[in-house]
Amino acid sequence: MSVDAYIPEPKGLTSITSINNVPNPTVLSALPGQTINYSLSITNEGTEATNNTLIAIPIPATAIFNTGSTITYNTYNGFTTTNVPYFDPATNKIIWNLGTLPITANHPEYIYADLSFTLNVTTDCNIILSAGCSPEVSLETGTITGTGATSGSSFTKYFFQGYDTTTC
């Protein structure tokens, strides 16, 4: 009997970098018509590289990605890709095919790629009202999908929005 020691574990950390051009806001609240600037950092904390690594960021109904807006991206730590992130209006998603996401032994903290983009909070009252008493602009349904380069294991990982360092 053997145990598969190869585990694909890419992670996507989302952050709000500004709301209505106010950097690093302490209160994460935006009004209709205001802009929210997001960033996404990609790491690989697993024990193998990943193939066919695809980032998909669904734009929530409570927000608008303005066609023609800029999606800024970077790669780091020896990782490169010729693929460019883009907005797909047919699916209302930002898509980025990273290809093969590497792993660096003993450095799970390495950021291999990041991207940033801006969304506008909708001003459509019908959408806001149908979202309930507390409408949100959340990217929690964003995913990283692909397969482990060694194990061949397919994966779907959801983005996360930070670490909780408090004690229980």
Side-chain angles (χ1 to χ4, degrees), residues 119-133:
L119 299 179
N120 293 335
V121 179
T122 186
T123 56
D124 185 328
C125 290
N126 290 324
I127 291 173
I128 293 170
L129 290 173
S130 69
C133 294

Side-chain angles (χ1 to χ4, degrees), residues 6 13 15 18 27 39 60 63 68-69 71 76 82 84 86 92 104 106 111-112 114 127 136 138 149 153 155 161 163:
Y6 295 102
L13 171 64
S15 302
S18 72
V27 177
S39 68
S69 293
I71 301 172
Y76 308 98
T82 57
V84 175
Y86 63 94
N92 204 35
T104 303
N106 302 316
I111 295 173
Y112 291 106
D114 64 25
I127 291 173
E136 296 179 345
S138 174
S153 299
F155 61 84
Q161 297 178 339
Y163 297 98

Side-chain angles (χ1 to χ4, degrees), residues 23-105:
N24 304 312
T26 54
V27 177
L28 299 178
S29 180
L31 298 173
Q34 290 186 327
T35 59
I36 304 174
N37 300 89
Y38 286 96
S39 68
L40 174 68
S41 299
I42 306 299
T43 60
N44 187 354
E45 298 182 15
T47 54
E48 67 178 323
T50 63
N51 291 332
N52 304 312
T53 311
L54 185 70
I55 305 295
I57 306 170
I59 306 303
T62 52
I64 300 163
F65 181 88
N66 292 317
T67 304
S69 293
T70 302
I71 301 172
T72 306
Y73 66 99
N74 299 289
T75 58
Y76 308 98
N77 295 306
F79 172 66
T80 60
T81 180
T82 57
N83 300 320
V84 175
Y86 63 94
F87 175 70
D88 180 4
T91 61
N92 204 35
K93 294 179 182 179
I94 295 173
I95 305 291
W96 192 10
N97 183 345
L98 295 174
T100 299
L101 187 65
I103 184 128
T104 303

